[in-house]
Amino acid sequence: MERIKRLGRYPKAVLLCLTAMVLAFAAAYAATTARVGFAYKDAIFVPREENGGTVYSGKLEGSPASFTVYGDQTVEFRCGDAVYGPYTAEQAPDAVPQEYAADESVTGVELFCAQELIFRGGAARWGDRLVLFNEDGSMADVGISVQAGGGVTLDENGSEIDPLEPSAYAVLELMAGPALTHKGAWPVWLAGVFVCAVTAVLILFADELFRWRMALRLRNADGAEPSELELMDRYVSWTVLPVLALVLFFMGLQ
């Protein structure tokens, strides 16, 4: 405590900010990682059982949104006042691309929105990821989209799409029973804590560390005094490192 009392206002303020950051982000990470569900468009949709089906609820672009998977595997998506679906799927063995015909892990499928066919091809589970192939063998629904002029969104084929409308991948993943996940990575939080700890050591033992470095160059380093440049370097490191920790904390929440 005496060591802290001898510090100036700025290093004391930095130590206080470091402590607040560690505690605040610990609480944020705990709340974020506890929210487990279906990952869709950088949001987490938490499941609950309802009337024999499963409802995945979340928020998309600030609006309440939900996927409902009924007992017969029909899927419906709501976002604000917009309703998409119902989506239904049928097995179609002849839709498997020719080059994957011998691969038993690839299943032919047709996906409909109401009566409209929106996907026909093969589906395969590779590890934890569902992979879709068009009937011609090309990869389907790779998730690439761009914002064109006038607020228009285009997919990887250059076709205009509704950015809120769920993709064939998302719908089929929900029908198959999606792998649940969460945002937040504790190892990144620990990296941020490590940077905070290093900063605290640099503040609390600034003079000792300075004389230890000087002892490698001077015979009588105990009497050495830090120059203005050395003091400026200290304040720069005390500023840059907390900013780095803050960036790490925010990155780990994504």
Side-chain angles (χ1 to χ4, degrees):
M1 289 299 295
E2 287 299 324
R3 185 180 293 271
I4 296 177
K5 289 179 180 179
R6 293 197 299 268
L7 295 174
R9 290 184 179 179
Y10 186 74
K12 284 182 180 178
V14 172
L15 288 176
L16 183 61
C17 288
L18 294 175
T19 304
M21 276 200 302
V22 170
L23 296 177
F25 279 100
Y29 272 70
T32 301
T33 56
R35 186 177 173 81
V36 178
F38 172 58
Y40 179 69
K41 291 186 181 293
D42 201 34
I44 297 296
F45 288 72
V46 179
R48 72 176 187 277
E49 299 300 317
E50 186 176 292
N51 299 325
T54 306
V55 178
Y56 297 82
S57 301
K59 277 194 172 184
L60 201 58
E61 298 184 359
S63 298
S66 66
F67 289 95
T68 301
V69 183
Y70 296 97
D72 61 356
Q73 298 303 295
T74 298
V75 175
E76 186 177 76
F77 177 59
R78 294 176 179 271
C79 184
D81 297 327
V83 180
Y84 300 88
Y87 298 93
T88 56
E90 297 178 1
Q91 288 195 358
D94 60 335
V96 176
Q98 185 175 358
E99 56 265 46
Y100 297 102
D103 190 340
E104 296 182 355
S105 67
V106 181
T107 303
V109 63
E110 290 180 336
L111 181 65
F112 298 86
C113 179
Q115 302 300 317
E116 180 187 357
L117 179 65
I118 60 174
F119 172 76
R120 175 180 165 85
R125 178 71 65 178
W126 289 356
D128 293 333
R129 179 170 175 77
L130 180 69
V131 181
L132 302 182
F133 303 95
N134 291 311
E135 197 173 6
D136 62 5
S138 61
M139 293 289 292
D141 198 13
V142 295
I144 298 175
S145 63
V146 295
Q147 288 291 124
V152 175
T153 302
L154 304 177
D155 64 10
E156 64 270 17
N157 300 315
S159 302
E160 184 177 347
I161 59 173
D162 180 346
L164 294 179
E165 184 175 6
S167 64
Y169 172 86
V171 174
L172 290 172
E173 182 82 347
L174 285 162
M175 290 180 175
L180 302 183
T181 186
H182 60 75
K183 289 187 176 183
W186 283 108
V188 184
W189 178 82
L190 289 174
V193 172
F194 175 76
V195 174
C196 290
V198 169
T199 307
V201 169
L202 292 177
I203 291 174
L204 294 172
F205 300 96
D207 290 337
E208 288 85 347
L209 291 171
F210 166 72
R211 292 190 173 91
W212 176 78
R213 294 198 310 272
M214 290 299 100
L216 301 176
R217 303 177 184 179
L218 304 176
R219 291 183 178 178
N220 186 20
D222 291 340
E225 293 293 332
S227 66
E228 292 297 325
L229 182 60
E230 167 67 20
L231 293 176
M232 184 182 69
D233 286 344
R234 291 183 186 182
Y235 278 83
V236 169
S237 65
W238 298 346
T239 303
V240 172
L241 288 176
V243 172
L244 173 60
L246 188 62
V247 170
L248 287 172
F249 284 138
F250 275 114
M251 286 177 57
L253 284 175
Q254 305 307 310

